[in-house]
């Protein structure tokens, strides 16, 4: 019962939260920038995870002919969207990493061409290296091909992103320390000569950089946390050194959905432009309700 309740709750949050993210960016011109378009494509991937992942698991509980193992259509479809979400998160992380580490070169480096190439790769690579080969594995392909495919799938879409994200977190933590020292120097300078007006813009840039840094660290840290279970499960299956319990399998399912539900919550809490638009939307909604009451 707890598995069904939590899974349904996470699925609802995933669908509603990511739908709101897509709606806000598309309908609000003030949110039309490179970073937010990367967010939109990540939100779309997470939205499809919400629509296919846990509903398929629930369907399998009532329809025995609907398997959720690697031989069924559920695995091929739902994991396609899981890996699309992971690939889009890698692209978003790369975008924010470049913006934070090379702020002066970012506008030149992130051209329309590079932006398009990054998005296309994020959506094409999972289709090429997972979706298409999965159609010829398990119940159709040879054992050697299936084994090779499984190794590529796990390494490419589960291990490599986690390793990259660990490096990014370590690098951004060093940058966060530098930003903290910069903030302290600015405050000391302001106190020394009282030139508040001259340092305001510099301080705002530092605050924006710090906010962007915290946002991406939160998102990728949670991604790593949610993928510990699936990586441990694959380790047990491949090397046969541990037993995969039903509780672990259920936890992996819940963490996958929770990961997709977590991102829009982080945007609403930590992304300033999203918070501003949500507040305006809320005030507008309250105004309409009050107007109807009057």
């Amino acid at each position: 019962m707890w598995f069904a309740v939590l899974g349904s709750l996470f699925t609802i949050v995933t669908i509603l939260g990511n739908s709101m993210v897509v709606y806000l960016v598309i309908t609000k011109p003030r949110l039309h920038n490179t970073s937010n378009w990367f967010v939109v494509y990540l939100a779309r991937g997470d939205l499809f995870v919400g629509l296919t992942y846990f509903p398929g698991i629930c369907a399998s509980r009532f329809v025995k002919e609907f398997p959720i193992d690697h031989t069924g259509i559920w695995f091929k479809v739902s994991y396609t969207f899981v890996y699309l979400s992971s690939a889009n998160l890698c692209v978003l992380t790369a975008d924010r990493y470049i913006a934070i580490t090379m702020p002066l070169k970012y506008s030149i480096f992130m051209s329309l061409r590079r932006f398009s190439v990054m998005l296309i790769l994020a959506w094409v690579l999972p289709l090429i290296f997972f979706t298409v080969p999965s159609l010829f594995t398990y119940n159709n392909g040879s054992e050697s091909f299936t084994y090779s495919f499984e190794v590529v799938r796990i390494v490419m879409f589960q291990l490599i992103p986690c390793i990259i994200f660990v490096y990014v977190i370590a690098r951004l933590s060093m940058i966060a320390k530098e930003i903290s020292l910069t903030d302290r120097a600015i405050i000391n300078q302001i106190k020394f000569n009282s030139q508040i007006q001259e340092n305001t813009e510099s301080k705002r840039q530092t605050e924006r950089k710090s906010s962007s840094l915290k946002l991406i660290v939160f998102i990728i840290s949670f991604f790593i946390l949610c993928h510990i279970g699936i990586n441990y499960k694959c380790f047990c299956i491949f090397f046969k050194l541990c037993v995969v319990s039903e509780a672990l399998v259920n936890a992996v399912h819940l963490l996958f959905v929770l990961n997709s539900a977590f991102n829009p919550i982080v945007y609403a809490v930590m992304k300033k432009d999203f918070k501003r638009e949500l507040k305006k939307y809320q005030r507008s909604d309250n105004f309409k309700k009050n107007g109807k009451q009057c």
Side-chain angles (χ1 to χ4, degrees), residues 138-251:
Y138 309 114
N139 51 347
N140 296 323
S142 64
E143 291 186 6
S144 59
F145 180 78
T146 299
Y147 182 83
S148 301
F149 167 73
E150 280 289 278
V151 171
V152 172
R153 175 181 73 87
I154 294 170
V155 172
M156 185 173 184
F157 296 107
Q158 295 175 194
L159 291 179
I160 290 180
C162 289
I163 293 171
I164 292 174
F165 291 155
V166 168
Y167 167 77
V168 170
I169 290 175
R171 182 74 179 93
L172 293 182
S173 297
M174 296 174 60
I175 296 174
K177 185 176 181 180
E178 295 175 2
I179 291 176
S180 178
L181 295 174
T182 302
D183 287 343
R184 194 176 304 170
I186 291 174
I187 293 172
N188 292 335
Q189 183 67 25
I190 291 173
K191 290 179 180 180
F192 178 76
N193 55 19
S194 299
Q195 294 178 353
I196 299 177
Q197 295 295 330
E198 294 181 9
N199 291 277
T200 300
E201 183 60 29
S202 176
K203 190 174 182 180
R204 286 177 180 173
Q205 292 178 0
T206 303
E207 289 175 352
R208 285 195 295 268
K209 190 174 182 180
S210 178
S211 177
S212 181
L213 187 151
K214 291 177 182 178
L215 174 73
I216 199 64
V217 167
F218 264 91
I219 291 175
I220 63 179
S221 296
F222 199 77
F223 175 92
I224 295 172
L225 178 64
C226 289
H227 279 71
I228 289 176
I230 184 62
N231 289 328
Y232 176 76
K233 174 187 170 184
C234 294
F235 176 84
C236 291
I237 294 174
F238 265 88
F239 296 101
K240 299 179 181 180
L241 298 176
C242 46
V243 179
V244 178
S245 64
E246 184 180 357
L248 174 61
V249 173
N250 289 338

Side-chain angles (χ1 to χ4, degrees), residues 13-46:
V13 174
T14 298
I15 295 172
L16 294 180
N18 287 288
S19 297
M20 177 61 73
V21 169
V22 175
Y23 170 79
L24 281 177
V25 176
I26 291 177
T27 59
K28 304 297 180 182
R30 287 180 294 272
L31 296 178
H32 291 179
N33 57 59
T34 302
S35 173
N36 286 338
W37 287 121
F38 281 122
V39 168
V40 165
Y41 281 92
L42 173 59
R44 286 180 179 177
D46 287 334

